[in-house]
Amino acid sequence: MDAFSAIAEPRRREILAQLRLGPATVNELADRLRISQPMASKHLKALRSAGFVEVRPQGQKRWFNLRRNPFDELDSWLDEYRRYWSQELDALERYLDDED
């Protein structure tokens, strides 16, 4: 699964937001989001497949946490659009200044 498909699903974005607060188990995430444990596991599997999440076994529990790399890749992709819009907005600002 690619990064964009993974974050297109609202529940997955909610899981990412929860993991931004720190590592959590699947049961903790399910409780916080008020979803079933199998549903949380399904979304975590997709997020792991896209590289957003890693798992660390500790005894009987499996702790999930965020990985930075996919976010850096998304940021790099978005940077091209930020530059485009920045140039467009700069041109608009110049145009409006010339109109005054």
Side-chain angles (χ1 to χ4, degrees), residues 19-36:
L19 291 176
R20 197 175 61 222
L21 304 173
T25 65
V26 65
N27 289 329
E28 289 172 339
L29 292 167
D31 288 345
R32 290 180 201 168
L33 299 174
R34 293 188 168 110
I35 60 176
S36 69

Side-chain angles (χ1 to χ4, degrees), residues 7 9 15 18 31 36 40-41 43-44 46 59 64 66 69 71 86:
I7 63 172
E9 214 293 328
I15 289 172
Q18 287 296 314
D31 288 345
S36 69
S41 292
H43 289 307
L44 284 165
F64 293 87
L66 296 178
N69 191 44
F71 294 99
S86 179

Side-chain angles (χ1 to χ4, degrees), residues 64-77:
F64 293 87
N65 27 293
L66 296 178
R67 293 187 64 242
R68 181 183 176 134
N69 191 44
F71 294 99
D72 289 341
E73 290 173 16
L74 285 174
D75 187 53
S76 293
W77 184 83

Side-chain angles (χ1 to χ4, degrees), residues 35-82:
I35 60 176
S36 69
Q37 184 273 329
M39 184 62 66
S41 292
K42 174 186 161 196
H43 289 307
L44 284 165
K45 181 179 179 182
L47 291 168
R48 283 184 67 198
S49 172
F52 282 100
V53 173
E54 63 187 3
V55 64
R56 179 180 40 89
Q58 187 178 32
Q60 296 287 72
K61 294 184 177 183
R62 296 176 59 171
W63 292 91
F64 293 87
N65 27 293
L66 296 178
R67 293 187 64 242
R68 181 183 176 134
N69 191 44
F71 294 99
D72 289 341
E73 290 173 16
L74 285 174
D75 187 53
S76 293
W77 184 83
L78 287 169
D79 192 49
E80 295 296 319
Y81 293 91
R82 278 188 213 104

